Amino acid sequence: VVLLQGVVVFCKGWWCFCKGWWCFCMAVSADFGNFGISATNDAVQTAQQNLITRALESDAVSSRIMARGVERELDSWQQELSDVAASPRLLDLLLSAAERDWAGRDALVEHLEAARLQATGNRARSGRNPDASWFVVDIDGYQRWRGPLNADTLDKRWAHRDYFHGEGREFPRDELPATLAPIQQPHLSLAFQSRATEHAIVAFSVPIRNDDGRVIAILAGTRELGSVLSAPYAEYKPRIG
């Protein structure tokens, strides 16, 4: 009996030992499992953060490239219009047409149309989109020439437009401030809806000055918004030939 009791005690002890070892192993296994899960989660989060960081960095680089491209395009646009506006021949033609109350302006139209077509050709050869239109408004804001011609806008007053006064807003056509004056420096206008095409466009306007430096008219070109923003990509577009 004593021997039997001893065997029972030994078995119980062995069973408790085995049970304890099993619990220890399970605990260790669980710890390693939790560590593995945690490490995996950390790795996933780090990878996601790296991808986000790289995407943001790529966006920043792309934004800088695009901004520089748009800036170059606007500088080129301004120079193109300023060169035409500074022409002594244009000044003579404008003064002559104004003296005749704009009754005879064929020579003015011919001169400006030739300049516009030349600019259009230059842009086409470099793979860039042409301006939607060019136009001249006088010191009171009346349009005296437009290319291509649009009878609905010619000789109408557009002094309420930002491209005329450069004040960063558009006034109601019948509520113009008494102090309203034409721009004195090159100006990129607010976006507006073209009455001729009904598209959203922007205008770049430059003053035309007489020999005394006084502004006597404004020359402006218009482009659709998409054309301005897509201009930088023309630099990277492959050319055939």
Side-chain angles (χ1 to χ4, degrees):
V1 174
V2 174
L3 179 62
L4 181 60
Q5 289 177 342
V7 171
V8 170
V9 169
F10 172 80
C11 290
K12 286 183 179 180
W14 179 253
W15 181 84
C16 289
F17 170 79
C18 292
K19 182 179 179 181
W21 179 254
W22 179 82
C23 290
F24 170 77
C25 291
M26 289 300 294
V28 170
S29 177
D31 287 341
F32 274 104
N34 290 335
F35 173 77
I37 293 173
S38 177
T40 301
N41 289 339
D42 289 345
V44 170
Q45 290 176 359
T46 300
Q48 289 176 339
Q49 187 61 45
N50 287 340
L51 288 174
I52 292 171
T53 301
R54 290 179 182 177
L56 292 175
E57 290 174 349
S58 177
D59 286 346
V61 171
S62 298
S63 297
R64 286 195 294 270
I65 292 174
M66 185 173 183
R68 286 196 295 268
V70 170
E71 183 179 10
R72 285 193 297 270
E73 182 64 20
L74 293 178
D75 288 343
S76 173
W77 195 9
Q78 175 182 328
Q79 190 61 54
E80 184 178 72
L81 293 168
S82 295
D83 288 346
V84 175
S87 165
R89 175 61 174 163
L90 175 59
L91 176 60
D92 291 341
L93 292 171
L94 283 169
L95 293 175
S96 178
E99 289 175 357
R100 295 191 299 272
D101 198 23
W102 306 99
R105 59 185 109 166
D106 291 347
L108 174 65
V109 170
E110 182 179 351
H111 176 83
L112 286 169
E113 191 63 19
R116 184 181 73 86
L117 292 177
Q118 180 179 357
T120 298
N122 291 340
R123 293 184 62 79
R125 283 188 289 274
S126 61
R128 296 177 296 170
N129 294 326
D131 287 1
S133 68
W134 279 18
F135 56 85
V136 167
V137 294
D138 65 19
I139 196 172
D140 295 314
Y142 288 92
Q143 188 184 100
R144 299 307 185 183
W145 168 78
R146 184 185 189 277
L149 175 65
N150 188 298
D152 293 335
T153 62
L154 191 65
D155 293 326
K156 302 294 193 307
R157 195 179 190 196
W158 303 99
H160 66 292
R161 292 292 199 195
D162 180 51
Y163 61 69
F164 174 76
H165 52 73
E167 295 192 14
R169 57 171 296 189
E170 301 232 330
F171 295 99
R173 300 187 69 161
D174 55 351
E175 298 179 14
L176 299 179
T179 57
L180 200 65
I183 59 170
Q184 299 296 308
Q185 301 294 333
H187 177 67
L188 180 65
S189 78
L190 297 173
F192 62 98
Q193 185 178 32
S194 169
R195 290 291 183 91
T197 65
E198 297 186 353
H199 294 164
I201 61 176
V202 292
F204 208 116
S205 50
V206 297
I208 302 173
R209 301 179 184 275
N210 64 10
D211 294 336
D212 297 327
R214 183 172 61 88
V215 176
I216 64 165
I218 291 170
L219 172 66
T222 64
R223 296 180 188 175
E224 293 188 10
L225 279 175
S227 177
V228 175
L229 296 177
S230 66
Y233 296 104
E235 300 179 19
Y236 307 101
K237 184 170 62 177
R239 296 183 175 87
I240 300 176

